[in-house]
Amino acid sequence: MSNVSKIKETKPTQCFSYEVVMLVHIIADNETNAKSQLDEKGGIVTKRDVKLVNTTTLYGEEKDK
């Protein structure tokens, strides 16, 4: 009997790139405070459009379907 371990099968790891367009509402007393709140806490998202732009395999092999 040998001491050779079976090599673990690897699954491909991929990077998915998305383009996201959102409409965000901020309730504040002025634009400076609104911008600060948006950067720190976010806001109320009322519309979000998502589009897949690209997919790239980072690790493993791509298999033909």
Side-chain angles (χ1 to χ4, degrees):
M1 194 159 164
S2 81
N3 289 334
V4 177
S5 299
K6 182 179 178 182
I7 296 174
K8 186 176 180 181
E9 186 176 332
T10 60
K11 295 180 182 178
T13 299
Q14 298 178 339
C15 176
F16 298 89
S17 300
Y18 293 93
E19 176 183 326
V20 181
V21 177
M22 297 190 305
L23 182 60
V24 179
H25 298 277
I26 305 295
I27 299 170
D29 56 351
N30 61 51
E31 186 177 356
T32 303
N33 289 341
K35 175 73 168 91
S36 177
Q37 181 177 324
L38 176 62
D39 291 341
E40 293 173 16
K41 300 178 185 176
I44 302 163
V45 178
T46 58
K47 182 178 179 183
R48 184 178 138 194
D49 297 320
V50 179
K51 175 180 152 188
L52 179 62
V53 177
N54 191 20
T55 304
T56 304
T57 300
L58 301 175
Y59 181 78
E61 297 181 8
E62 294 186 67
K63 295 182 180 179
D64 295 332
K65 292 182 179 179

